[in-house]
């Protein structure tokens, strides 16, 4: 059995909020409870939206929370930032071209979201295959007007896996996902390609992330297989909801770590989240390290979690 290896892979488009902290905490606990390694990969593919300053703040916040990692982040160098890994993605994109059909897609966002397009449960649109099978002459003509994205043709195959939190999950690739983008029209490689290549090359054996990414997993498992990587185990954790039942987002600035660090100790934040995730019974302060022996995946609920009470009280006004 290879040593277990988990990762936290934040997109630094803002300060971490409590949902991100829950994900960082559970991925760290899951690896550490098995005596495994923890990696920190910065997913800044969209370099314009993900400045290095936010990535540095994430590291600082993780240190503050008491979460450490064995490799990755700024001490390990640029290769842990996706924005510096384009040459690697290029290499694996070339391998994929030999294993599957990849074709240029000229559809605009507006055309893809046309009212008639079937919408999937996660808000994406099922691609109708519009640009599949264009002749070389049609492709050349369209290229004069617009740079294409690159899509990969999915087979008539159902991918099934057992998620460590959500249970058995199956997805029929053509009807639940459709041909998907590997490279955007601006040349940036897409999340699905980058995450698969990185998890494969970095030897990741378990992926812990929000359940909003459950739908991406079948695509990633399929890409892992095409590239000859053993797919990792997956754990899709519940999302944190505010009192209106909305999932937290980076727009909820009152719940980002910048302000929370002024109001709470790391042990209070960790204890409240650990209690919400049912790892401990009462929301008492506890360090991340002290949680390691208490961690078990079968305690963690599938369904979304409400924000712990201590975070709901508005900060005292002076
Ligand atoms: N970078 C993604 C995020 O911050 C997570 C991707 C993943 O864990 O696969 O939402």
């Amino acid at each position: 059995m290879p040593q277990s290896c988990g990762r936290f892979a934040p997109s630094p488009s803002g300060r971490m909020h409590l949902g991100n902290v829950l994900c960082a905490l559970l991925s760290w606990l899951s690896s550490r409870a098995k005596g495994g390694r923890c990696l920190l990969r910065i997913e800044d593919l969209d370099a314009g939206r993900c400045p290095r300053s936010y990535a540095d703040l994430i590291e600082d916040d993780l240190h503050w929370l008491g979460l450490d990692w064995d490799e990755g982040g700024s001490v390990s160098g640029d290769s842990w930032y996706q924005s510096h890994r384009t040459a690697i993605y290029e290499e694996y994109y070339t391998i994929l071209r030999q294993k599957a059909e990849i074709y240029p897609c000229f559809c605009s966002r507006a055309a893809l979201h046309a009212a008639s397009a079937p919408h999937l449960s996660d808000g994406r649109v099922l691609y109708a295959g519009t640009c599949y099978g264009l002749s070389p002459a049609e492709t050349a003509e369209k290229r004069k007007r617009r740079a294409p994205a690159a899509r990969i043709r999915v087979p008539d195959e159902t991918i099934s896996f057992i998620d460590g939190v959500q249970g058995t999950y199956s997805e029929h690739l053509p009807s639940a996902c459709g041909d998907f983008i590997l490279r955007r029209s601006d040349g940036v490689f897409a999340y699905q390609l980058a995450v698969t290549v990185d998890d494969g090359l970095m030897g990741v054996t378990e992926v812990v992330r929000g359940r909003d990414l459950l739908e991406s997993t079948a695509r990633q498992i399929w890409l892992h297989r095409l590239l000859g990587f053993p797919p990792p185990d997956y754990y899709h954790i519940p999302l944190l909801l505010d009192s209106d039942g909305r999932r937290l987002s980076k727009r909820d600035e009152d719940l980002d770590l910048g302000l929370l660090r002024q109001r709470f100790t790391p042990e209070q934040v960790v204890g409240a989240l650990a209690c919400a995730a049912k790892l401990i019974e009462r929301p008492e302060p506890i360090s991340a390290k002290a949680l390691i022996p208490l961690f078990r995946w079968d305690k963690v609920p599938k369904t979304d979690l409400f924000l712990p009470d201590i975070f709901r009280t508005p900060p005292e006004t002076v």
Side-chain angles (χ1 to χ4, degrees), residues 7-13 20 23 41-44 58 82 191-192 195-196 199 207-210 212-213 216 220 234 236 247 250:
R7 47 64 159 190
F8 180 50
S11 302
S13 58
N20 307 128
C23 182
R41 181 172 74 232
I42 305 296
E43 300 213 321
D44 59 349
I58 290 176
Q82 288 188 326
Y191 160 69
Q192 306 294 352
V195 77
T196 306
D199 285 338
V207 166
V208 177
R209 58 188 179 192
D212 51 327
L213 286 169
S216 285
Q220 292 170 19
Y234 290 92
H236 285 90
R247 62 178 287 209
K250 291 192 172 133

Side-chain angles (χ1 to χ4, degrees), residues 8-144:
F8 180 50
S11 302
S13 58
R15 195 86 188 241
M16 282 203 289
H17 59 68
L18 283 168
N20 307 128
V21 175
L22 179 67
C23 182
L25 177 66
L26 294 183
S27 57
W28 185 86
L29 285 171
S30 179
S31 302
R32 292 297 189 227
K34 298 182 186 100
R37 286 158 46 75
C38 293
L39 310 179
L40 175 65
R41 181 172 74 232
I42 305 296
E43 300 213 321
D44 59 349
L45 279 174
D46 218 332
R49 284 181 56 235
C50 296
R52 188 62 86 103
S53 54
Y54 278 137
D56 292 345
L57 278 173
I58 290 176
E59 286 197 22
D60 193 59
D61 288 337
L62 292 171
H63 281 303
W64 181 82
L65 288 158
L67 304 178
D68 60 350
W69 55 95
D70 302 291
E71 238 183 310
S74 55
V75 288
S76 299
D78 285 345
S79 64
W80 291 84
Y81 294 74
Q82 288 188 326
S83 58
H84 287 264
R85 296 175 62 80
T86 309
I88 298 173
Y89 303 143
E90 191 80 61
E91 194 184 316
Y92 283 86
Y93 177 74
T94 307
I95 298 176
L96 284 174
R97 291 190 85 96
Q98 292 152 15
K99 311 241 169 187
E101 269 182 284
I102 296 180
Y103 60 94
C105 170
F106 298 88
C107 295
S108 65
R109 193 177 283 258
L112 291 174
H113 284 83
S116 56
H119 281 64
L120 300 168
S121 58
D122 62 356
R124 284 178 304 120
V125 168
L126 186 64
Y127 185 62
T130 319
C131 293
Y132 179 70
L134 289 179
S135 69
E138 285 169 316
T139 303
E141 192 50 42
K142 282 179 184 281
R143 264 186 209 277
K144 289 184 197 155

Side-chain angles (χ1 to χ4, degrees), residues 189-203:
F189 285 104
Y191 160 69
Q192 306 294 352
L193 176 102
V195 77
T196 306
V197 169
D198 288 349
D199 285 338
L201 290 180
M202 292 171 183

Side-chain angles (χ1 to χ4, degrees), residues 250-262:
K250 291 192 172 133
R251 287 182 300 279
D252 296 310
E253 280 162 13
D254 49 339
L255 292 170
D256 82 20
L257 274 194
L259 285 174
L260 292 175
R261 281 174 64 165
Q262 296 169 23

